[in-house]
Amino acid sequence: MTPICLVGIGKIAVDQHVPAIDGSADWTLAATVSRAGSVDGVPAYSDFDQMLAERPDIPVISLCLPPVPRYEYAAKAIAAGRHVMLEKPPGATLAEVQALETMAQTAGVSLFATWHSRMARGVAAAKSFLADKTVTAGKITWKEDVRRWHPGQDWVFDPGGMGVFDPGINALSILTEVLPAPVHLQSATLSFPENRQTPIAADLRFSGGISGAFDWRQEGPQTWDITLQAGDDLVELQEGGNRCMINGQEATLSELDEYPALYARMAGLIKNSSSDVDLSPMIHVADAMTLGQRNIVAAFAF
C-alpha cells in the first residue's frame, strides 16, 4: 500500500477522507499535518515543512485544509516531488490552480483536483444516458443548512470561502460532468448577508435552459437535486447524485461511494503518470461572481 499524508484534520477529513483511506487496499495513512486535529495511531505533525523533510517515504499528499492557504501547501509538496490531491474547490483562484498544474507537469508528479460529487453513485448512469442526447432544460435545487455542515466555520463567509458555492460547486461539478455539451452562465442574483463577504444564496441562469437555486439557510430536510430534460426523456439526480431516476425508473448505481472512488482514481492517476485538473465547475462560480447582481439580506451568525 502507498503511504499518504493527510493535511488539515477537520470535519471533512475525519468524516470522509480517513474512512476512505482506511478502507482502501491502495493506501495507508502514514502521517497527518494539522494545527489541532490528529488521527489515533498516526504520526501527527503541526509543521508541513517538517513533515516533508522527515518523511521522504510518503509520496502522496492529500490537502483538506480550506482553499485560501492550499496553494502554498500544494506548491511545496510538488517542489518536494510529491503527488497531490486537492479537496474541492481546488484553490482560491483559477490562476493559482493553473499554476499548480504547470508545476506538476514540470515536476513529473500527478495532480488531482477532486470533485467528490462527481463520484456520487448515480452520476455515471446519468452521464451515460445523456451522452448521445441534447439537453433542452434543467434545474438545480441545492439547499442546505450551513449551521449543520459548517458549524462555527466563519472562514466559509470570508473572501475565498465561496459562501453558498462551497456546497453549490458540488452541483456544478455534477452538471459539468453529465451534460453532453457545455453551457455558460448568462445571469446571476447573489444574496449577501449584511455582515458577510460571500453569498448565502444564489440564483443562476445558464444557456440551454438550465437554472440553479442555491441556499444555505434551509433547515429540516436538505435538498440536493438536479433534473435534466432531453426531449421526452427526464433524468433526475437526487440525494446529491447518489440516486438516479431515468424516466421514472431507478438506474444502476456505481459500486463505490464518493471518497473511496476519489482515492481509487488517484491511485490510477499515479499508476498512469497522469493528472486530472478540470476547472469547469469553478469557472461557473467565478462567472457568477462576475455577472451576479448583489442583494443585501439579513445578517447571519452561527
Side-chain angles (χ1 to χ4, degrees):
M1 293 192 292
T2 302
I4 189 169
C5 175
L6 201 55
V7 181
I9 309 302
K11 181 175 173 57
I12 193 67
V14 172
D15 290 351
Q16 301 293 346
H17 289 262
V18 173
I21 293 168
D22 285 347
S24 172
D26 295 314
W27 306 100
T28 181
L29 185 56
T32 63
V33 179
S34 180
R35 290 179 297 179
S38 62
V39 176
D40 289 345
V42 178
Y45 293 81
S46 59
D47 186 278
F48 187 55
D49 293 330
Q50 180 185 1
M51 189 283 300
L52 289 174
E54 294 184 0
R55 299 300 302 271
D57 60 307
I58 300 177
V60 184
I61 310 297
S62 181
L63 297 177
C64 306
L65 66 172
V68 170
R70 202 175 295 154
Y71 171 84
E72 180 182 356
Y73 283 78
K76 287 181 177 180
I78 292 168
R82 316 299 172 94
H83 307 287
V84 176
M85 286 181 71
L86 302 169
E87 176 58 85
K88 68 86 194 171
T93 71
L94 293 164
E96 69 182 32
V97 184
Q98 291 171 333
L100 291 175
E101 185 177 17
T102 299
M103 292 178 200
Q105 290 172 347
T106 301
V109 299
S110 295
L111 180 67
F112 184 16
T114 71
W115 301 106
H116 66 81
S117 288
R118 285 185 172 176
M119 302 297 187
R121 298 182 68 199
V123 171
K127 180 179 181 178
S128 177
F129 181 79
L130 292 170
D132 61 350
K133 296 175 175 61
T134 299
V135 174
T136 53
K139 184 175 182 179
I140 300 168
T141 307
W142 219 257
K143 299 182 179 182
E144 62 179 64
D145 184 356
V146 64
R147 292 184 176 92
R148 182 188 303 188
W149 303 104
H150 291 278
Q153 296 179 22
D154 286 298
W155 66 265
V156 298
F157 284 110
D158 291 338
M162 298 184 73
V164 74
F165 289 118
D166 177 84
I169 205 169
N170 295 332
L172 298 174
S173 73
I174 294 174
L175 184 73
T176 51
E177 178 73 3
V178 303
L179 286 181
V183 296
H184 62 272
L185 189 72
Q186 294 180 319
S187 65
T189 301
L190 309 179
S191 297
F192 287 75
E194 62 183 8
N195 62 332
R196 300 290 183 171
Q197 296 296 309
T198 56
I200 198 167
D203 290 294
L204 308 184
R205 295 198 174 275
F206 296 90
S207 60
I210 294 174
S211 63
F214 306 82
D215 203 314
W216 236 352
R217 299 167 296 189
Q218 178 156 299
E219 300 177 356
Q222 309 286 273
T223 306
W224 301 296
D225 297 335
I226 299 174
T227 60
L228 296 169
Q229 192 81 37
D232 294 331
D233 295 309
L234 180 66
V235 174
E236 300 170 273
L237 283 162
Q238 303 167 355
E239 300 174 14
N242 284 296
R243 185 183 183 196
C244 180
M245 304 287 291
I246 298 176
N247 294 325
Q249 300 296 314
E250 294 273 3
T252 301
L253 301 180
S254 301
E255 293 183 4
L256 292 177
D257 289 330
E258 294 176 22
Y259 279 84
L262 286 181
Y263 278 93
R265 171 70 172 153
M266 183 62 179
L269 290 173
I270 293 172
K271 181 179 180 180
N272 295 321
S273 300
S274 57
S275 292
D276 182 351
V277 187
D278 177 20
L279 295 179
S280 54
M282 199 169 170
I283 289 172
H284 287 318
V285 173
D287 287 351
M289 296 298 192
T290 300
L291 285 177
Q293 173 184 316
R294 182 184 180 105
N295 288 338
I296 303 301
V297 297
F300 176 85
F302 284 104

